Amino acid sequence: MGVTLTTRVDERLAKLIDEIAKEEGMDRSTVMRRFLAKAVRDWLIEKSLKDYEEGKITLWQAAERCGLSLWEMIEEVRSRGVHIPYTLEDLKEDVEDL
């Protein structure tokens, strides 16, 4: 069973949501759930990629946190232009390992 959340929005936003619901053939609640789920997913990806960029977590950890595969997360990195935290020391270690 779901949890009911209540919030207030201005009239303009409510009208837009109603227009979208009508256009999509859905009720207002369904539109709101979809918008909320998408916004939460986007926030989680942005937060995880920020933590990755700052070196707080690995890309694999970011993917797991977001419920994405590693390849999906790599695509998010590419499409969002995230800076990959790869230092000169990392390069030296990789060259030595070769």
Side-chain angles (χ1 to χ4, degrees):
M1 185 75 179
V3 175
T4 300
L5 301 175
T6 305
T7 188
R8 291 189 186 277
V9 297
D10 63 39
E11 285 185 43
R12 181 175 177 273
L13 181 57
K15 286 179 184 178
L16 286 170
I17 292 166
D18 288 340
E19 288 174 19
I20 293 166
K22 183 178 179 183
E23 177 76 23
E24 296 295 321
M26 300 177 202
D27 60 64
R28 182 190 282 177
S29 294
T30 301
V31 171
M32 292 299 300
R33 279 191 300 275
R34 288 186 180 184
F35 285 168
L36 189 57
K38 183 179 183 335
V40 168
R41 179 183 183 274
D42 287 347
W43 179 88
L44 187 56
I45 290 170
E46 285 181 26
K47 172 68 171 130
S48 297
L49 289 177
K50 181 178 182 238
D51 288 348
Y52 166 68
E53 199 170 28
E54 292 174 356
K56 295 178 181 176
I57 61 174
T58 66
L59 191 58
W60 182 254
Q61 289 169 326
E64 285 184 332
R65 183 190 288 179
C66 297
L68 300 175
S69 71
L70 184 58
W71 289 111
E72 289 170 321
M73 189 55 83
I74 289 169
E75 178 58 28
E76 291 292 339
V77 167
R78 188 196 62 74
S79 68
R80 295 172 189 246
V82 173
H83 174 269
I84 298 173
Y86 192 73
T87 65
L88 184 57
E89 283 300 314
D90 293 331
L91 177 62
K92 288 177 183 176
E93 287 177 22
D94 287 345
V95 170
E96 288 175 9
D97 289 343
L98 290 175

